[in-house]
Amino acid sequence: MRVRSLLEEDPALISTAFDQIGWNKPAAQYEAYLREQEAGDRPVLVAVVSDAFAGYVTVRWQPEYAPFLEAGIPEIQDLNVLPRYRRRGIGTALMDGAEELVQERSTTVGIGVGMYPDYGNAQRLYVLRGYVPDGRGLTYNGQVLDPMESTVNDDELVLYLTKTLEKRDN
């Protein structure tokens, strides 16, 4: 297994890999990521196993979540590992790489995680890596929910977490 940057030929390959397991992740999403990576706005790390796509993660230097943006906290986003490659350390390797990128610019990193069971593996991974809630509670579409407010438990219901990274000696 190796981790590398997103390449020009990756968007179609990644989209096809997800399509094969019934996940709708169009190539256009990864083409946009490639443009953002080339502009220096969003590095994308891709994990490959025996030259086959296994997963990816991105880092947003200017996240949409206002508390992170205002505090200058880069956000790790969109960690995905194909189910057949899970429990092999690929998510950990991708997170290690993303945290190393963030560490070049910040001593704090943020991440958001969904609340329904499909996010269970990610929830556990982030806690085991030392991420803690940012203290603002649940958000929906990036907005903090008020006490007693009802919502839907879909991909937009997110708990944001942060982690303090070790200071690098440059």
Side-chain angles (χ1 to χ4, degrees):
M1 189 264 305
R2 66 186 170 93
V3 175
R4 59 163 172 77
S5 294
L6 183 70
L7 302 175
E8 193 171 326
E9 61 269 16
D10 287 336
L13 297 172
I14 294 171
S15 179
T16 298
F18 284 115
D19 191 49
Q20 290 172 348
I21 62 168
W23 294 8
N24 180 26
K25 292 190 170 280
Q29 174 181 336
Y30 304 103
E31 291 163 358
Y33 284 176
L34 188 60
R35 288 189 300 275
E36 291 177 65
Q37 178 176 266
E38 290 168 352
D41 298 330
R42 181 195 298 258
V44 182
L45 300 176
V46 175
V48 293
V49 175
S50 302
D51 293 325
F53 168 75
Y56 73 95
V57 69
T58 78
V59 174
R60 285 286 303 268
W61 298 124
Q62 302 290 314
E64 292 180 10
Y65 180 54
F68 287 176
L69 181 62
E70 292 164 6
I73 298 172
E75 182 182 345
I76 295 173
Q77 292 183 343
D78 207 14
L79 172 66
N80 277 284
V81 177
L82 290 172
R84 70 178 170 270
Y85 292 110
R86 291 182 182 162
R87 315 251 348 129
R88 297 188 191 181
I90 292 167
T92 295
L94 288 166
M95 288 293 293
D96 287 347
E99 288 177 2
E100 285 176 24
L101 289 172
V102 169
Q103 201 170 24
E104 294 172 9
R105 299 188 185 196
S106 175
T107 57
T108 304
V109 61
I111 199 163
V113 66
M115 293 290 97
Y116 61 87
D118 288 0
Y119 289 98
N121 288 333
Q123 293 165 357
R124 286 190 299 273
L125 175 66
Y126 303 157
V127 168
L128 291 171
R129 292 185 67 84
Y131 286 82
V132 296
D134 73 347
R136 291 176 177 83
L138 291 173
T139 66
Y140 193 83
N141 281 328
Q143 302 299 311
V144 175
L145 294 173
D146 290 328
M148 310 311 275
E149 185 175 354
S150 295
T151 192
V152 176
N153 191 4
D154 62 14
D155 286 338
E156 300 306 320
L157 184 64
V158 173
L159 180 66
Y160 284 93
L161 312 164
T162 60
K163 177 181 176 179
T164 302
L165 302 172
E166 297 289 322
K167 204 164 188 149
R168 287 183 82 172
D169 295 327
N170 291 339

